[in-house]
Amino acid sequence: MTDLSKKSFKTRAVHAGERLDVAGVNPVVSAVHPSVGYTFRDSNDLDAVLGNEKEGYVYSTRYANPTVTAFETAVADLEGAESAHAFSSGMAAIHMSLLAAGVQAGTSIVAAADVYGATYTLLQDVFTALGATVRFVDVLDLDAMSQTVAREKPAAILVETISNPLMKIADLPRLGEIAHANGALLLVDNTFCSPYLCNPIEFGADMVIHSATKSIAGHGDVMAGIVATRAALKEKSFALNKLIGSSIGPFEAWLALRGLKTLSLRMRQQCDNALALATWLQSHPKIKHVNYPFLPDHPQFKLLDSLTGGKGAGGVFSFEILGAGREQVFAFMDALDLIQPATSLGDIYSLVLYPAISSHRTLTPEERTSLGIGDGLVRISAGIEDVGDIQADIEHALEVV
Ligand SMILES: Cc1ncc(COP(=O)(O)O)c(C=O)c1O
């Protein structure tokens, strides 16, 4: 394995996880290992591996698989974590992180009120039904966060570095202090930043979660999740996943690992494109408001800047079309030609999404309104296309509204 210890992020993104020396074979690019089972020299050898006395592979991804190990090694490196654990989706990664953090009947979770819609429903419906208490708090209200955590003594606090679709920034250093002063673990969904923009462990996070379906894989052709964390917490989630089986497949792990190699290039282009588009839309007569935290007048610009080291805010921004409701937003989306109406983000393609019918569909209209997700709110994930072409597409579609 190439010594990456002193190399920059861009270099590590290209090489991390590769050439891990599986059975003495060292291809430049990790292979896909679809085999479910593994043979051994003799039964003593098998017994030693099954008994955890010796390292080795025994049974595929519900246990471990060399292609998945390569992907996990790479993400652990890029997040500055001791280890990482990959899953079949971002949702599986969130679910397993909460279980590994010790959430069970009788414990509680404090979560940011505007976490991704499916995360909200997972907490509200599934974890509550299993006997956990869930408290949602505005991530910007640190006093309320501190008071709720002190009162509830939760097993876990769950926030997103940049929230979806309102782009609120979690004050990770303060939240880390609040969590640890009260015996809680801080779980950070870092999907919007990707490891390129922010490494939450540096700021006090205990578990860093990604929907690798988004920027990490980056090409809209993989569903995957991954959690970067301490070795002891990975051991817990590893033991749980042997029973639950939310594993990533080796083909998906290989594609996600390949995606990482261009993460720096893609994120730089998406940050540039999103900033240019958000800046332009801010003074567009048909736009009421733009949410993009790298705009210098954004109230949390300084916090974001400190979390991302000035690298930007990623490719996602949202905006409210003046006086628009569902009908006008549909007309806007239908008039787009280049930007694809698809429910994802962080891809090389520019994507548009209407939160009211997609990411936040499972919420009631009252819940959406209380979060500030109005009927005229549109989210765009800028791809890596020419920014002039993306702008022209939006300009044309706004003309029909
Ligand atoms: C911030 C965030 N976290 C988690 C998820 C869930 O990821 P997945 O779709 O890979 O399960 C999403 C999906 O959009 C997301 O936006």
Side-chain angles (χ1 to χ4, degrees), residues 168-396:
K168 293 182 184 176
I169 312 300
D171 188 336
L172 300 183
R174 278 289 295 124
L175 289 164
E177 283 166 16
I178 293 170
H180 300 146
N182 290 283
L185 294 184
L186 178 62
L187 276 50
V188 177
D189 182 332
N190 198 31
T191 299
F192 271 46
C193 283
S194 87
Y196 171 78
L197 284 179
C198 178
N199 294 142
I201 287 173
E202 231 178 84
F203 301 105
D206 298 286
M207 302 179 96
V208 180
I209 305 164
H210 288 279
S211 165
T213 314
K214 312 295 182 332
S215 303
I216 285 183
H219 293 68
D221 51 12
V222 181
M223 185 156 276
I226 191 154
V227 182
T229 187
R230 294 191 282 280
L233 285 167
K234 165 148 183 194
E235 258 175 50
K236 282 191 186 169
S237 79
F238 183 71
L240 283 162
N241 194 50
K242 278 186 184 174
L243 308 175
I244 294 171
S246 311
S247 312
I248 189 173
F251 292 94
E252 284 77 9
W254 189 88
L255 278 170
L257 177 64
R258 189 167 75 165
L260 278 178
K261 298 179 192 318
T262 53
L263 179 68
S264 310
L265 296 172
R266 288 184 282 108
M267 286 300 289
R268 275 210 305 277
Q269 185 68 42
Q270 288 171 353
C271 287
D272 288 352
N273 284 357
L275 180 61
L277 293 165
T279 306
W280 163 66
L281 283 168
Q282 244 188 339
S283 52
H284 194 287
K286 289 197 176 168
I287 300 302
K288 186 174 165 201
H289 181 68
V290 179
N291 300 304
Y292 190 60
F294 211 56
L295 291 171
D297 59 355
H298 187 280
Q300 290 186 287
F301 172 82
K302 273 211 178 112
L303 173 61
L304 175 90
D305 205 42
S306 69
L307 295 177
T308 65
K311 289 197 290 285
V316 182
F317 59 96
S318 62
F319 54 89
E320 228 179 303
I321 302 177
L322 200 63
R326 180 186 165 100
E327 205 182 310
Q328 290 83 359
V329 172
F330 277 19
F332 168 77
M333 286 174 52
D334 291 345
L336 291 168
D337 177 41
L338 178 68
I339 303 175
Q340 301 299 307
T343 57
S344 198
L345 60 98
D347 283 349
I348 49 172
Y349 321 97
S350 291
L351 300 166
V352 63
L353 170 139
Y354 184 31
I357 63 159
S358 47
S359 62
H360 289 70
R361 189 186 186 99
T362 50
L363 274 61
T364 63
E366 294 73 32
E367 283 171 329
R368 281 199 297 272
T369 308
S370 76
L371 294 175
I373 299 169
D375 283 348
L377 190 78
V378 177
R379 188 192 82 188
I380 290 208
S381 171
I384 62 167
E385 305 98 331
D386 182 273
V387 71
D389 290 333
I390 309 173
Q391 181 172 331
D393 203 33
I394 299 174
E395 176 84 88
H396 163 75

